[in-house]
Amino acid sequence: MDVVKAAQLSGRALERVVVHPLVLLSIVDHYNRVARDTRKRVVGVLLGTSSRGTVDVTNSYAVPFEEDDKDPRIWFLDHNYHESMFSMFKRINAKEHVVGWYSTGPKLKENDLDVHALFNNYVPNPVLVIIDVQPKELGIPTKAYYAVEEVKENATQKSQKVFVHVPSEIAAHEVEEIGVEHLLRDVKDTTISTLATQVSSKLAALKGLDVRLREIWGYLDLVIEGKLPLNHEILYHLQDVFNLLPNLNVNELIKAFAVKTNDMMLVIYLSSLIRSVIALHNLINNKMLNKEHEKAEDLKPSTIPAVAGS
């Protein structure tokens, strides 16, 4: 089956989609305002720039969207609202243009190709970014797609559009990074100590590593079984990963790891011990201070109110 990419017709094939934090915050806010605690999804427009096969999504706005749960062919997107909103955004930043649309899916739906065809009127090769606002697994909550024309081997059959996955990533400018850091600082739980926060972060990182290793494992199993073709680029990356792993058969390296671990455990133990001693010291000082206040109250002369004679 031969597939002709529509992206090549417009210039260059899409290689990756970069989503900025402002876009994620805007989409989550849109979902919480419109479709929270429901099975509905929200749809909006993505703004940004595209060059050299990379789509940089820097802004977005919501668009009124309705669809029939029983019949996916029945849907409504207010393109008049979209056109008026885009004209106002263009006055603020003329460099940003429509690069595609977003959906909170969390998966592709039957009418997505029809909605995608609507955005072909505003951009030659739009991208669809599905944002999982309630992710159940660790990882990037974005999946990007673009449409290609699938040509059948049989000339009598009509060609049709299909979605092709394109890699996506989260990136930010320096100003955005500062804003995100301040936002995370405001939502941080102050009841959790710094050590507990670090342990939770390490645990989350290990869980993410476990998910990635299982994904690699599954891919290699499918390649061995012949269900997937051999991709030399992926194997080269895996070989680079294995080359970076330390050789644990060297005694000096094992001893260095053991010494480093013991030093860290000693510091943690001493820190916990000092913290407990300081807490007991503060408790004793507090009780002594309370006793002194009680003695001072007892030594004060009691005043007897005078009774007026009749």
Side-chain angles (χ1 to χ4, degrees):
M1 183 178 293
D2 186 19
V3 177
V4 179
K5 293 185 177 180
Q8 295 176 349
L9 300 178
S10 61
R12 185 171 180 173
L14 294 178
E15 297 177 359
R16 63 171 183 160
V17 175
V18 180
V19 182
H20 287 248
L22 178 63
V23 178
L24 297 178
L25 293 174
S26 176
I27 294 172
V28 171
D29 177 69
H30 181 199
Y31 177 81
N32 288 333
R33 287 186 290 104
V34 177
R36 188 176 183 180
D37 298 329
T38 65
R39 299 182 63 182
K40 295 182 179 180
R41 61 170 177 166
V42 295
V43 170
V45 179
L46 299 174
L47 302 177
T49 58
S50 58
S51 65
R52 298 180 180 179
T54 300
V55 176
D56 197 23
V57 183
T58 56
N59 209 342
S60 65
Y61 57 85
V63 173
F65 177 79
E66 294 291 339
E67 60 183 340
D68 193 347
D69 296 334
K70 298 180 180 179
D71 190 354
R73 295 175 298 177
I74 301 176
W75 56 274
F76 168 75
L77 189 145
D78 195 344
H79 58 90
N80 292 325
Y81 178 87
H82 152 59
E83 292 172 359
S84 61
M85 284 290 293
F86 177 65
S87 63
M88 289 187 288
F89 270 89
K90 196 172 182 179
R91 295 175 186 175
I92 300 173
N93 190 350
K95 294 181 179 179
E96 292 181 343
H97 58 84
V98 177
V99 295
W101 61 291
Y102 70 81
S103 168
T104 57
K107 296 181 180 179
L108 288 172
K109 296 194 175 183
E110 296 181 21
N111 55 4
D112 284 345
L113 280 172
D114 298 332
V115 180
H116 201 78
L118 176 64
F119 281 90
N120 281 322
N121 299 325
Y122 305 102
V123 58
N125 188 26
V127 295
L128 164 61
V129 178
I130 295 181
I131 310 293
D132 190 359
V133 294
Q134 296 177 338
K136 297 180 181 178
E137 298 179 356
L138 295 173
I140 298 177
T142 60
K143 292 181 180 179
Y145 303 90
Y146 67 97
V148 299
E149 193 79 22
E150 186 181 63
V151 181
K152 305 292 184 179
E153 292 180 354
N154 189 353
T156 59
Q157 295 180 349
K158 292 183 179 180
S159 61
Q160 61 180 3
K161 292 266 188 170
V162 295
F163 278 121
V164 175
H165 181 266
V166 59
S168 61
E169 60 184 63
I170 308 297
H173 299 302
E174 184 178 356
V175 178
E176 291 178 312
E177 290 180 356
I178 296 173
V180 171
E181 288 179 0
H182 280 282
L183 179 63
L184 294 177
R185 192 179 305 168
D186 293 337
V187 301
K188 187 182 294 182
D189 192 354
T190 57
T191 60
I192 302 177
S193 64
T194 306
L195 180 60
T197 306
Q198 292 180 359
V199 172
S200 300
S201 301
K202 294 290 190 301
L203 182 61
L206 289 175
K207 287 182 178 179
L209 177 62
D210 180 68
V211 172
R212 296 293 176 267
L213 291 176
R214 291 181 182 276
E215 186 176 351
I216 294 172
W217 186 5
Y219 167 75
L220 294 177
D221 284 340
L222 293 175
V223 171
I224 293 173
E225 295 173 0
K227 296 180 180 179
L228 283 179
L230 186 65
N231 191 321
H232 294 285
E233 185 177 358
I234 296 177
L235 295 181
Y236 292 153
H237 287 306
L238 290 177
Q239 187 62 51
D240 291 338
V241 172
F242 293 138
N243 292 337
L244 293 174
L245 292 176
N247 186 7
L248 297 179
N249 295 324
V250 181
N251 293 328
E252 290 80 3
L253 183 61
I254 296 174
K255 185 178 179 180
F257 271 120
V259 171
K260 181 69 174 178
T261 304
N262 290 336
D263 291 343
M264 292 180 63
M265 295 300 293
L266 178 62
V267 172
I268 293 173
Y269 174 73
L270 290 177
S271 301
S272 301
L273 187 62
I274 293 171
R275 185 177 180 181
S276 301
V277 171
I278 293 175
L280 289 173
H281 183 71
N282 292 334
L283 179 62
I284 293 172
N285 285 341
N286 190 24
K287 287 193 173 184
M288 292 177 63
L289 187 61
N290 288 336
K291 285 186 177 180
E292 290 179 0
H293 282 302
E294 290 177 358
K295 288 181 180 179
E297 291 290 336
D298 293 339
L299 293 176
K300 285 183 180 180
S302 58
T303 56
I304 301 175
V307 180
S310 56

